[in-house]
Amino acid sequence: MKDEWKIGSFSIPAGGYEWMDAPVGTVTLAAQLFVNENADPKMVADLADALITHADKVRDVHKAMAPLDAKLMSSGTAVPYHPQAEKAYLAAGLR
């Protein structure tokens, strides 16, 4: 599964949370939001456009999200993108 889904390893540094006094190993995936393949196409397009335009708002939610940007959001490979999300990323020059 690690190779198929391109799951990597990651270490949350000590102090990443106020209650952590030592690093903690975990896995990492690209930042992806999953939708049902039957999701409303306009909703998916609107959501993808909002994420592309406002990645900084998502990034500001937690300091662990600091590397997040639209390019990173468009780079996931765990599952195929919904056609409308793919279209939005292509239109933004991210894929």
Side-chain angles (χ1 to χ4, degrees), residues 28-72:
T28 181
L29 293 169
Q32 284 187 281
L33 177 64
F34 294 87
V35 298
N36 185 295
E37 66 184 337
N38 298 321
D40 176 60
K42 182 171 180 352
M43 183 271 300
V44 175
D46 289 347
L47 182 56
D49 287 337
L51 288 169
I52 291 166
T53 304
H54 302 289
D56 59 321
K57 304 279 190 228
V58 180
R59 184 175 49 243
D60 290 345
V61 169
H62 190 279
K63 65 182 177 181
M65 300 291 280
L68 186 70
D69 61 15
K71 181 70 176 168
L72 179 60

Side-chain angles (χ1 to χ4, degrees), residues 3-40:
D3 292 334
E4 182 181 345
W5 286 22
K6 299 193 174 32
I7 296 171
S9 59
F10 181 75
S11 180
I12 301 171
Y17 294 94
E18 60 187 43
W19 45 266
M20 285 179 52
D21 58 0
V24 175
T26 187
V27 297
T28 181
L29 293 169
Q32 284 187 281
L33 177 64
F34 294 87
V35 298
N36 185 295
E37 66 184 337
N38 298 321
D40 176 60

